[in-house]
Amino acid sequence: MNTLPPPLPGPLPAPDPRVHDLVLDYAGMHAMVDDLVLPRDASMYVMSVLETSRELIRHSYYRYEFATVAVTHALLALEHVLAERLAVDEPLTLQELIERAADAGLIGAELAAEVDRGRVLRDKLTRGATTSAAVRPARAVDMVRAVFEAVSLLLRPASAAEATVTDLAGPQSEEGLARLWEEHLRAPFPASFRGVDIEGVELVLLDSGVAGLVQGELKGGLDDGDIADLWGCVADLDKIMPLINEAYCAAYFARLRTMAGLVLG
């Protein structure tokens, strides 16, 4: 028989004095993170990272620095989902991944800028240029929420990404065409589709064909022969786009189709 007395409970952790003006008590932290809902259809890894980030913010009531750690930890999930969605076959920095996703229309410019602020924070921590107390818990909620939103968008099917790129064109105008052209110039060709043809259409050649005609339109206009060539490219685009099942490549060629449509009016 065990006759030892039960262990005495340890002291409860004390609130961090730096959060005294944020919430009245620990229960108040629950309301701060209530809208950080785990994205549907995320992998167990991504859900674990995001849930941990959310709980780190909640527990910053006891340790202020947890708020900054929450932001940097959430970026692990973002980086993982970006690499999968863009199907990159080369090592890229988080900054490059964010830029590619924005250029492809997978996430909006404002959201891309917000998640990139987290990346800048992480880089500063790595260099020792800031401390783990750099972000207040309330600001951490905003930054982690942006990661949750970005991950949710990136987990959408490719057809949604195509619609997003099409929406970027805005009004059918030269200004909209020029903006899409600048985005296209910054977007690398989908690496895993280089040298691939679909239904007899060589994707690299289709890309260069449409790009050359769009550039010609922006530099002074197309003649009748060029217009006929562009209609041929549109026919090829409409044939291959429903058969592309990779998000970045689908968004890349959706942008080409949008530009061609703007030129043809």
Side-chain angles (χ1 to χ4, degrees):
M1 171 181 269
N2 184 4
T3 58
L4 294 177
L8 295 175
L12 294 175
D16 192 308
R18 291 170 289 183
V19 300
H20 71 89
D21 60 342
L22 182 64
V23 293
L24 294 176
D25 51 26
Y26 179 66
M29 299 298 294
H30 303 332
M32 288 186 63
V33 300
D34 268 352
D35 67 338
L36 298 180
V37 180
L38 296 176
R40 298 176 58 185
D41 302 323
S43 67
M44 290 300 296
Y45 170 77
V46 170
M47 292 180 69
S48 174
V49 169
L50 294 180
E51 185 174 23
T52 299
S53 300
R54 182 181 63 194
E55 294 310 302
L56 282 166
I57 295 176
R58 197 193 308 270
H59 290 290
S60 65
Y61 179 80
Y62 297 113
R63 182 66 181 178
Y64 189 85
E65 283 79 1
F66 285 176
T68 299
V69 178
V71 176
T72 59
H73 190 71
L75 295 178
L76 294 172
L78 177 63
E79 193 162 11
H80 178 81
V81 173
L82 279 169
E84 282 196 341
R85 189 62 187 271
L86 295 173
V88 296
D89 55 2
E90 56 185 309
L92 295 177
T93 66
L94 179 56
Q95 181 178 7
E96 290 169 331
L97 290 169
I98 293 170
E99 289 173 352
R100 283 198 182 188
D103 289 342
L106 297 175
I107 56 176
E110 290 185 10
L111 184 57
E114 179 68 358
V115 295
D116 192 58
R117 292 185 186 100
R119 189 271 310 170
V120 171
L121 170 66
R122 188 179 71 176
D123 290 351
K124 287 182 177 180
L125 284 167
T126 301
R127 299 194 308 269
T130 191
T131 71
S132 294
V135 179
R136 291 175 52 82
R139 177 61 180 136
V141 171
D142 293 336
M143 297 177 79
V144 171
R145 182 184 295 112
V147 173
F148 272 64
E149 292 176 1
V151 168
S152 295
L153 288 172
L154 291 164
L155 290 174
R156 295 186 306 175
S159 58
E162 293 170 18
T164 302
V165 175
T166 303
D167 290 344
L168 286 175
Q172 296 191 1
S173 65
E174 186 174 341
E175 180 182 353
L177 179 63
R179 178 158 53 89
L180 281 177
W181 175 245
E182 289 300 319
E183 292 177 4
H184 190 71
L185 289 177
R186 295 194 301 270
F189 186 88
S192 59
F193 285 81
R194 194 172 297 280
V196 172
D197 72 84
I198 299 177
E199 293 291 313
V201 178
E202 179 70 40
L203 298 190
V204 170
L205 294 179
L206 180 58
D207 174 37
S208 61
V210 177
L213 292 165
V214 169
Q215 189 174 36
E217 171 68 14
L218 291 171
K219 285 185 174 181
L222 303 180
D223 59 27
D224 290 344
D226 293 330
I227 294 295
D229 289 342
L230 187 55
W231 276 115
C233 291
V234 166
D236 285 341
L237 285 165
D238 289 345
K239 179 165 62 173
I240 62 101
M241 283 175 56
L243 304 176
I244 298 175
N245 59 5
E246 192 274 307
Y248 177 75
C249 186
Y252 185 93
F253 281 92
R255 180 171 45 237
L256 281 174
R257 179 62 177 84
T258 298
M259 289 192 293
L262 290 175
V263 173
L264 293 171

PDB file of all heavy atoms in Angstrom, residues 15-37:
ATOM      1  N   PRO A  15       0.894  35.840 -14.677  1.00  0.00           N
ATOM      2  CA  PRO A  15       0.743  36.570 -15.940  1.00  0.00           C
ATOM      3  C   PRO A  15       1.972  37.434 -16.210  1.00  0.00           C
ATOM      4  O   PRO A  15       2.590  37.980 -15.282  1.00  0.00           O
ATOM      5  CB  PRO A  15      -0.499  37.435 -15.710  1.00  0.00           C
ATOM      6  CG  PRO A  15      -1.212  36.795 -14.566  1.00  0.00           C
ATOM      7  CD  PRO A  15      -0.161  36.166 -13.712  1.00  0.00           C
ATOM      8  N   ASP A  16       2.318  37.558 -17.467  1.00  0.00           N
ATOM      9  CA  ASP A  16       3.414  38.451 -17.847  1.00  0.00           C
ATOM     10  C   ASP A  16       2.916  39.889 -17.677  1.00  0.00           C
ATOM     11  O   ASP A  16       1.870  40.247 -18.219  1.00  0.00           O
ATOM     12  CB  ASP A  16       3.812  38.195 -19.303  1.00  0.00           C
ATOM     13  CG  ASP A  16       5.124  38.866 -19.678  1.00  0.00           C
ATOM     14  OD1 ASP A  16       5.251  40.089 -19.444  1.00  0.00           O
ATOM     15  OD2 ASP A  16       6.006  38.178 -20.209  1.00  0.00           O
ATOM     16  N   PRO A  17       3.621  40.710 -16.926  1.00  0.00           N
ATOM     17  CA  PRO A  17       3.129  42.083 -16.693  1.00  0.00           C
ATOM     18  C   PRO A  17       2.988  42.901 -17.964  1.00  0.00           C
ATOM     19  O   PRO A  17       2.260  43.897 -17.979  1.00  0.00           O
ATOM     20  CB  PRO A  17       4.183  42.675 -15.752  1.00  0.00           C
ATOM     21  CG  PRO A  17       5.394  41.820 -15.915  1.00  0.00           C
ATOM     22  CD  PRO A  17       4.882  40.454 -16.224  1.00  0.00           C
ATOM     23  N   ARG A  18       3.644  42.489 -19.027  1.00  0.00           N
ATOM     24  CA  ARG A  18       3.571  43.257 -20.275  1.00  0.00           C
ATOM     25  C   ARG A  18       2.247  43.095 -21.013  1.00  0.00           C
ATOM     26  O   ARG A  18       1.999  43.786 -22.009  1.00  0.00           O
ATOM     27  CB  ARG A  18       4.734  42.863 -21.198  1.00  0.00           C
ATOM     28  CG  ARG A  18       6.093  43.310 -20.681  1.00  0.00           C
ATOM     29  CD  ARG A  18       7.227  42.691 -21.479  1.00  0.00           C
ATOM     30  NE  ARG A  18       7.364  41.251 -21.198  1.00  0.00           N
ATOM     31  CZ  ARG A  18       8.318  40.464 -21.730  1.00  0.00           C
ATOM     32  NH1 ARG A  18       9.187  41.000 -22.593  1.00  0.00           N
ATOM     33  NH2 ARG A  18       8.383  39.191 -21.417  1.00  0.00           N
ATOM     34  N   VAL A  19       1.378  42.185 -20.550  1.00  0.00           N
ATOM     35  CA  VAL A  19       0.070  42.015 -21.195  1.00  0.00           C
ATOM     36  C   VAL A  19      -1.067  42.554 -20.330  1.00  0.00           C
ATOM     37  O   VAL A  19      -2.232  42.330 -20.649  1.00  0.00           O
ATOM     38  CB  VAL A  19      -0.198  40.534 -21.539  1.00  0.00           C
ATOM     39  CG1 VAL A  19       0.857  40.009 -22.496  1.00  0.00           C
ATOM     40  CG2 VAL A  19      -0.281  39.673 -20.299  1.00  0.00           C
ATOM     41  N   HIS A  20      -0.722  43.264 -19.277  1.00  0.00           N
ATOM     42  CA  HIS A  20      -1.769  43.702 -18.337  1.00  0.00           C
ATOM     43  C   HIS A  20      -2.750  44.654 -18.986  1.00  0.00           C
ATOM     44  O   HIS A  20      -3.915  44.738 -18.567  1.00  0.00           O
ATOM     45  CB  HIS A  20      -1.131  44.373 -17.106  1.00  0.00           C
ATOM     46  CG  HIS A  20      -0.537  45.715 -17.391  1.00  0.00           C
ATOM     47  ND1 HIS A  20      -1.257  46.881 -17.311  1.00  0.00           N
ATOM     48  CD2 HIS A  20       0.719  46.070 -17.765  1.00  0.00           C
ATOM     49  CE1 HIS A  20      -0.473  47.910 -17.617  1.00  0.00           C
ATOM     50  NE2 HIS A  20       0.734  47.442 -17.898  1.00  0.00           N
ATOM     51  N   ASP A  21      -2.327  45.389 -20.022  1.00  0.00           N
ATOM     52  CA  ASP A  21      -3.240  46.337 -20.678  1.00  0.00           C
ATOM     53  C   ASP A  21      -3.931  45.720 -21.891  1.00  0.00           C
ATOM     54  O   ASP A  21      -4.657  46.403 -22.615  1.00  0.00           O
ATOM     55  CB  ASP A  21      -2.482  47.594 -21.106  1.00  0.00           C
ATOM     56  CG  ASP A  21      -1.348  47.299 -22.091  1.00  0.00           C
ATOM     57  OD1 ASP A  21      -0.937  46.125 -22.174  1.00  0.00           O
ATOM     58  OD2 ASP A  21      -0.873  48.239 -22.768  1.00  0.00           O
ATOM     59  N   LEU A  22      -3.718  44.427 -22.119  1.00  0.00           N
ATOM     60  CA  LEU A  22      -4.283  43.760 -23.294  1.00  0.00           C
ATOM     61  C   LEU A  22      -5.595  43.056 -22.961  1.00  0.00           C
ATOM     62  O   LEU A  22      -6.608  43.238 -23.648  1.00  0.00           O
ATOM     63  CB  LEU A  22      -3.272  42.754 -23.848  1.00  0.00           C
ATOM     64  CG  LEU A  22      -3.660  41.990 -25.107  1.00  0.00           C
ATOM     65  CD1 LEU A  22      -3.819  42.958 -26.272  1.00  0.00           C
ATOM     66  CD2 LEU A  22      -2.607  40.926 -25.434  1.00  0.00           C
ATOM     67  N   VAL A  23      -5.590  42.239 -21.916  1.00  0.00           N
ATOM     68  CA  VAL A  23      -6.783  41.514 -21.474  1.00  0.00           C
ATOM     69  C   VAL A  23      -6.844  41.543 -19.953  1.00  0.00           C
ATOM     70  O   VAL A  23      -5.833  41.774 -19.281  1.00  0.00           O
ATOM     71  CB  VAL A  23      -6.769  40.045 -21.965  1.00  0.00           C
ATOM     72  CG1 VAL A  23      -6.903  39.977 -23.484  1.00  0.00           C
ATOM     73  CG2 VAL A  23      -5.505  39.330 -21.512  1.00  0.00           C
ATOM     74  N   LEU A  24      -8.035  41.294 -19.420  1.00  0.00           N
ATOM     75  CA  LEU A  24      -8.187  41.306 -17.973  1.00  0.00           C
ATOM     76  C   LEU A  24      -7.610  40.046 -17.327  1.00  0.00           C
ATOM     77  O   LEU A  24      -7.066  40.093 -16.219  1.00  0.00           O
ATOM     78  CB  LEU A  24      -9.670  41.436 -17.602  1.00  0.00           C
ATOM     79  CG  LEU A  24     -10.331  42.762 -17.989  1.00  0.00           C
ATOM     80  CD1 LEU A  24     -11.822  42.730 -17.656  1.00  0.00           C
ATOM     81  CD2 LEU A  24      -9.651  43.922 -17.252  1.00  0.00           C
ATOM     82  N   ASP A  25      -7.771  38.909 -18.014  1.00  0.00           N
ATOM     83  CA  ASP A  25      -7.286  37.648 -17.465  1.00  0.00           C
ATOM     84  C   ASP A  25      -7.012  36.689 -18.620  1.00  0.00           C
ATOM     85  O   ASP A  25      -7.205  37.026 -19.796  1.00  0.00           O
ATOM     86  CB  ASP A  25      -8.299  37.049 -16.483  1.00  0.00           C
ATOM     87  CG  ASP A  25      -9.703  36.959 -17.080  1.00  0.00           C
ATOM     88  OD1 ASP A  25      -9.823  36.880 -18.330  1.00  0.00           O
ATOM     89  OD2 ASP A  25     -10.684  36.978 -16.314  1.00  0.00           O
ATOM     90  N   TYR A  26      -6.584  35.473 -18.284  1.00  0.00           N
ATOM     91  CA  TYR A  26      -6.223  34.495 -19.322  1.00  0.00           C
ATOM     92  C   TYR A  26      -7.412  34.156 -20.210  1.00  0.00           C
ATOM     93  O   TYR A  26      -7.256  33.935 -21.416  1.00  0.00           O
ATOM     94  CB  TYR A  26      -5.682  33.221 -18.662  1.00  0.00           C
ATOM     95  CG  TYR A  26      -5.313  32.138 -19.636  1.00  0.00           C
ATOM     96  CD1 TYR A  26      -4.262  32.310 -20.524  1.00  0.00           C
ATOM     97  CD2 TYR A  26      -6.022  30.936 -19.676  1.00  0.00           C
ATOM     98  CE1 TYR A  26      -3.923  31.321 -21.431  1.00  0.00           C
ATOM     99  CE2 TYR A  26      -5.696  29.942 -20.573  1.00  0.00           C
ATOM    100  CZ  TYR A  26      -4.638  30.133 -21.452  1.00  0.00           C
ATOM    101  OH  TYR A  26      -4.311  29.155 -22.347  1.00  0.00           O
ATOM    102  N   ALA A  27      -8.608  34.151 -19.663  1.00  0.00           N
ATOM    103  CA  ALA A  27      -9.797  33.863 -20.461  1.00  0.00           C
ATOM    104  C   ALA A  27      -9.948  34.858 -21.607  1.00  0.00           C
ATOM    105  O   ALA A  27     -10.494  34.529 -22.669  1.00  0.00           O
ATOM    106  CB  ALA A  27     -11.038  33.870 -19.575  1.00  0.00           C
ATOM    107  N   GLY A  28      -9.461  36.069 -21.391  1.00  0.00           N
ATOM    108  CA  GLY A  28      -9.546  37.077 -22.436  1.00  0.00           C
ATOM    109  C   GLY A  28      -8.719  36.731 -23.666  1.00  0.00           C
ATOM    110  O   GLY A  28      -8.992  37.235 -24.767  1.00  0.00           O
ATOM    111  N   MET A  29      -7.712  35.879 -23.491  1.00  0.00           N
ATOM    112  CA  MET A  29      -6.886  35.479 -24.628  1.00  0.00           C
ATOM    113  C   MET A  29      -7.664  34.570 -25.585  1.00  0.00           C
ATOM    114  O   MET A  29      -7.361  34.525 -26.778  1.00  0.00           O
ATOM    115  CB  MET A  29      -5.625  34.756 -24.151  1.00  0.00           C
ATOM    116  CG  MET A  29      -4.714  35.582 -23.260  1.00  0.00           C
ATOM    117  SD  MET A  29      -4.052  37.063 -24.088  1.00  0.00           S
ATOM    118  CE  MET A  29      -3.012  36.333 -25.345  1.00  0.00           C
ATOM    119  N   HIS A  30      -8.665  33.854 -25.062  1.00  0.00           N
ATOM    120  CA  HIS A  30      -9.431  32.951 -25.921  1.00  0.00           C
ATOM    121  C   HIS A  30     -10.155  33.735 -27.022  1.00  0.00           C
ATOM    122  O   HIS A  30     -10.183  33.318 -28.180  1.00  0.00           O
ATOM    123  CB  HIS A  30     -10.443  32.161 -25.104  1.00  0.00           C
ATOM    124  CG  HIS A  30      -9.831  31.366 -23.982  1.00  0.00           C
ATOM    125  ND1 HIS A  30      -8.549  30.892 -24.022  1.00  0.00           N
ATOM    126  CD2 HIS A  30     -10.334  30.976 -22.783  1.00  0.00           C
ATOM    127  CE1 HIS A  30      -8.280  30.233 -22.907  1.00  0.00           C
ATOM    128  NE2 HIS A  30      -9.355  30.274 -22.139  1.00  0.00           N
ATOM    129  N   ALA A  31     -10.738  34.866 -26.639  1.00  0.00           N
ATOM    130  CA  ALA A  31     -11.467  35.664 -27.620  1.00  0.00           C
ATOM    131  C   ALA A  31     -10.532  36.207 -28.706  1.00  0.00           C
ATOM    132  O   ALA A  31     -10.929  36.363 -29.863  1.00  0.00           O
ATOM    133  CB  ALA A  31     -12.182  36.814 -26.921  1.00  0.00           C
ATOM    134  N   MET A  32      -9.275  36.478 -28.351  1.00  0.00           N
ATOM    135  CA  MET A  32      -8.323  37.026 -29.317  1.00  0.00           C
ATOM    136  C   MET A  32      -8.032  36.050 -30.450  1.00  0.00           C
ATOM    137  O   MET A  32      -7.771  36.464 -31.587  1.00  0.00           O
ATOM    138  CB  MET A  32      -7.013  37.394 -28.617  1.00  0.00           C
ATOM    139  CG  MET A  32      -7.094  38.617 -27.743  1.00  0.00           C
ATOM    140  SD  MET A  32      -5.461  39.069 -27.108  1.00  0.00           S
ATOM    141  CE  MET A  32      -4.594  39.440 -28.637  1.00  0.00           C
ATOM    142  N   VAL A  33      -8.047  34.752 -30.140  1.00  0.00           N
ATOM    143  CA  VAL A  33      -7.654  33.769 -31.153  1.00  0.00           C
ATOM    144  C   VAL A  33      -8.831  32.945 -31.672  1.00  0.00           C
ATOM    145  O   VAL A  33      -8.641  31.994 -32.421  1.00  0.00           O
ATOM    146  CB  VAL A  33      -6.560  32.828 -30.600  1.00  0.00           C
ATOM    147  CG1 VAL A  33      -5.323  33.617 -30.209  1.00  0.00           C
ATOM    148  CG2 VAL A  33      -7.067  32.019 -29.409  1.00  0.00           C
ATOM    149  N   ASP A  34     -10.045  33.322 -31.290  1.00  0.00           N
ATOM    150  CA  ASP A  34     -11.226  32.537 -31.675  1.00  0.00           C
ATOM    151  C   ASP A  34     -11.384  32.398 -33.181  1.00  0.00           C
ATOM    152  O   ASP A  34     -11.872  31.376 -33.674  1.00  0.00           O
ATOM    153  CB  ASP A  34     -12.497  33.174 -31.100  1.00  0.00           C
ATOM    154  CG  ASP A  34     -12.846  32.578 -29.728  1.00  0.00           C
ATOM    155  OD1 ASP A  34     -12.182  31.601 -29.337  1.00  0.00           O
ATOM    156  OD2 ASP A  34     -13.762  33.088 -29.071  1.00  0.00           O
ATOM    157  N   ASP A  35     -11.010  33.438 -33.940  1.00  0.00           N
ATOM    158  CA  ASP A  35     -11.232  33.375 -35.388  1.00  0.00           C
ATOM    159  C   ASP A  35     -10.072  32.732 -36.144  1.00  0.00           C
ATOM    160  O   ASP A  35     -10.094  32.684 -37.377  1.00  0.00           O
ATOM    161  CB  ASP A  35     -11.514  34.765 -35.951  1.00  0.00           C
ATOM    162  CG  ASP A  35     -10.314  35.695 -35.857  1.00  0.00           C
ATOM    163  OD1 ASP A  35      -9.434  35.430 -35.016  1.00  0.00           O
ATOM    164  OD2 ASP A  35     -10.247  36.677 -36.626  1.00  0.00           O
ATOM    165  N   LEU A  36      -9.083  32.235 -35.427  1.00  0.00           N
ATOM    166  CA  LEU A  36      -7.984  31.512 -36.076  1.00  0.00           C
ATOM    167  C   LEU A  36      -8.398  30.049 -36.225  1.00  0.00           C
ATOM    168  O   LEU A  36      -8.012  29.178 -35.453  1.00  0.00           O
ATOM    169  CB  LEU A  36      -6.691  31.646 -35.261  1.00  0.00           C
ATOM    170  CG  LEU A  36      -6.149  33.070 -35.109  1.00  0.00           C
ATOM    171  CD1 LEU A  36      -4.867  33.061 -34.291  1.00  0.00           C
ATOM    172  CD2 LEU A  36      -5.908  33.705 -36.474  1.00  0.00           C
ATOM    173  N   VAL A  37      -9.208  29.809 -37.232  1.00  0.00           N
ATOM    174  CA  VAL A  37      -9.773  28.481 -37.471  1.00  0.00           C
ATOM    175  C   VAL A  37      -8.861  27.721 -38.429  1.00  0.00           C
ATOM    176  O   VAL A  37      -8.469  28.243 -39.477  1.00  0.00           O
ATOM    177  CB  VAL A  37     -11.185  28.583 -38.055  1.00  0.00           C
ATOM    178  CG1 VAL A  37     -11.768  27.204 -38.308  1.00  0.00           C
ATOM    179  CG2 VAL A  37     -12.081  29.380 -37.113  1.00  0.00           C
TER     180      VAL A  37
END
